[in-house]
Amino acid sequence: MSVPTAAATRTICAQLPVLGRDVTVPLVTGGTVAYAALDYAASAPALQRVWDDVAAYAPYYGSVHRGAGYLSQLSTDLFENARRTVTEFLDCRPDDQLVFTRSTTDSLNLLARALPADCQVLVFETEHHASLLPWKDARVTYLDAPRTPRQAVETLERALAARDPHGPALVCVTGASNVTGELWPVRELAAAAHAHGARIVLDAAQLAPHHPVSVRDLDVDWVAFSGHKLYAPFGAGVLAGRADWLVAADPYLAGGGASRKVTRREDGGVDVEWHESAARHEAGSPNVIGAYAIASACKALTEAGFENLVAREERLIAGVRAGLAEVPQVKVLSLFGDDAPRVGVISFVVEGWNSSHFAAALSAEYGIGVRDGLFCAHPLVRTLLGGDPQTQGECGAPEAAPGERSLNAIRVSFGAGTPDEHVERFVTAVRELVSDGAKWRYRTEDGRCVPAV
């Protein structure tokens, strides 16, 4: 298998252009510069193709599953075709259900509401809050952060062996960390779960935009992801997988669309017959534009070829990591070590800098957008930084003024559509800020580090 050349991978970037690539922003030092959006792990920019597809459909927008008119019929077909497209993208099993939700967080909360009685949930402390927190009504076992993929599997196997083997159990695990970008051994974790009679749900929010996700190949029971991570920021997400727990559960929301038949009783109440299809958990008017946008992104990524996308991204990752390694004051955060495979998500701290101060300088002086804070993964970041994982912190907000140490980090993230120049400018900016310091003064305002006026 030949490895794509740098020129070829730049062509891939051109084939998947994103909105905002021509936006210029002002610098505090004067002038403007093309904005380098390097915060894909929070929300990826919309693919140009997604935007164009949505714009072409917009005049034909109509109610879904509700009307006899042409636009309603067209919108219903579009919505259900989007479901089939995303089902194919995820390589789901024939009897799986795919529910359109608002986001990964919404998807996992939906699944949490559908858990059988007395279900035990096993989740690593390293999870994003979207997959760490929804299980409050279940018996939850939180697993310590592993330091190797093998240790992750062994930790899960021990916990599963110690549980009550007669009750239902669910394992929740990420596919790629939103903090370190490291890939988790999903297939091996799924095998361990099934060997002990448990099911597994995959949080693919950070995995799906970067690598192919096959429900069948990974042998997971459910997968969840967000459109806004997948270059389709129109307020939709996905939960796909086994139907039985979803059909047995009360609807996530009670209302029109979820109900098949509603009748009055003689005692004055109502009897409801709920749908057993995905509609059971899609009450209300569906977000047809959000679903169509996700389907459009799935088609674009599939046609571009994940093999090519992964090869290009690995080259960008290698360049960023090599550049950061040349700056002794920079420490890259990692659970599994430098050689662990990862997606385009890298978090780090800089000696002598408060992370919010450093991120503010990247934005104000270089036009580079990154993220700083705890990334809605507080226990993991605090563990990686040597702090107490039990300590509470405000999500995304600095705890110290410029120049003071804080248990926060800086995250740079990128993917399809990221120009080479943006990551090269980022590496140069890190090197210059560390060696020369900031060119501007900064202050803390409303919990954020901002340029002083």
Side-chain angles (χ1 to χ4, degrees), residues 72-257:
S72 291
Q73 293 297 306
L74 185 149
S75 295
T76 297
D77 287 345
L78 199 77
F79 185 70
E80 293 304 332
N81 283 333
R83 196 189 309 275
R84 284 188 284 272
T85 296
V86 182
T87 297
E88 292 173 2
F89 179 78
L90 294 172
D91 190 27
C92 291
R93 297 165 291 254
D95 55 350
D96 283 341
Q97 281 191 359
L98 189 145
V99 181
F100 283 115
T101 65
R102 292 178 298 176
S103 60
T104 307
T105 301
D106 197 38
S107 295
L108 294 173
N109 275 272
L110 188 165
L111 184 60
R113 288 273 298 274
L115 296 180
D118 201 35
C119 186
Q120 182 178 2
V121 175
L122 299 96
V123 57
F124 286 93
E125 68 171 353
T126 48
E127 292 292 311
H128 185 282
H129 294 171
S131 47
L132 187 73
L133 302 180
W135 321 106
K136 56 184 175 59
D137 294 329
R139 293 183 296 119
V140 185
T141 299
Y142 296 104
L143 307 177
D144 292 340
R147 288 297 179 167
T148 67
R150 182 65 239 168
Q151 189 180 77
V153 177
E154 292 171 349
T155 298
L156 178 61
E157 287 176 334
R158 285 194 299 270
L160 289 167
R163 81 174 186 92
D164 178 359
H166 301 294
L170 177 71
V171 176
C172 181
V173 67
T174 188
S177 171
N178 78 303
V179 176
T180 67
E182 292 164 314
L183 298 176
W184 277 62
V186 176
R187 189 178 292 104
E188 293 80 0
L189 291 167
H194 294 151
H196 289 84
R199 297 190 180 189
I200 186 168
V201 57
L202 170 64
D203 175 353
Q206 300 297 338
L207 183 63
H210 303 274
H211 285 257
V213 174
S214 168
V215 168
R216 281 192 268 205
D217 182 52
L218 295 173
D219 197 23
V220 294
D221 297 281
W222 292 276
V223 61
F225 71 87
S226 298
H228 71 99
K229 312 284 191 189
L230 198 79
Y231 314 103
F234 290 90
V238 167
L239 176 68
R242 302 198 180 279
D244 53 351
W245 286 8
L246 300 178
V247 171
D250 289 337
Y252 185 45
L253 297 173

Side-chain angles (χ1 to χ4, degrees), residues 213-444:
V213 174
S214 168
V215 168
R216 281 192 268 205
D217 182 52
L218 295 173
D219 197 23
V220 294
D221 297 281
W222 292 276
V223 61
F225 71 87
S226 298
H228 71 99
K229 312 284 191 189
L230 198 79
Y231 314 103
F234 290 90
V238 167
L239 176 68
R242 302 198 180 279
D244 53 351
W245 286 8
L246 300 178
V247 171
D250 289 337
Y252 185 45
L253 297 173
S259 55
R260 175 184 291 161
K261 181 180 179 182
V262 181
T263 56
R264 287 291 303 273
R265 297 195 305 264
E266 290 184 2
D267 64 5
V270 295
D271 288 323
V272 184
E273 181 182 333
W274 302 106
H275 280 292
E276 294 189 356
S277 65
R280 184 184 190 89
H281 298 291
E282 293 177 343
S285 295
N287 180 2
V288 58
I289 287 180
Y292 182 47
I294 290 179
S296 173
C298 289
K299 288 180 180 178
L301 292 169
T302 300
E303 291 169 7
F306 270 107
E307 181 178 337
N308 295 327
L309 294 171
V310 169
R312 176 177 187 269
E313 186 170 302
E314 287 179 345
R315 179 174 63 80
L316 294 179
I317 294 169
V320 171
R321 288 179 59 82
L324 294 179
E326 294 175 355
V327 185
Q329 295 86 348
V330 170
K331 176 188 175 184
V332 173
L333 305 184
S334 174
L335 271 176
F336 300 154
D338 290 342
D339 295 331
R342 66 196 70 223
V343 299
V345 178
I346 299 169
S347 295
F348 62 98
V349 291
V350 183
E351 182 181 344
W353 285 79
N354 166 261
S355 295
S356 180
H357 185 198
F358 199 88
L362 284 173
S363 174
E365 300 178 26
Y366 294 90
I368 298 171
V370 297
R371 177 146 302 209
D372 66 279
L374 297 170
F375 318 126
C376 292
H378 295 185
L380 172 56
V381 177
R382 293 187 180 282
T383 294
L384 293 172
L385 294 178
D388 182 357
Q390 306 302 322
T391 303
Q392 295 183 352
E394 185 179 349
C395 189
E399 300 167 339
E404 296 180 2
R405 181 180 183 274
S406 68
L407 282 175
N408 289 287
I410 307 147
R411 184 181 69 191
V412 57
S413 53
F414 42 86
T418 301
D420 288 37
E421 184 274 330
H422 288 184
V423 295
E424 291 164 1
R425 193 196 325 163
F426 164 76
V427 172
T428 299
V430 170
R431 187 180 299 115
E432 290 181 359
L433 283 173
V434 171
S435 63
D436 304 335
K439 301 180 181 68
W440 204 261
R441 293 181 299 105
Y442 295 81
R443 59 186 175 84
T444 300

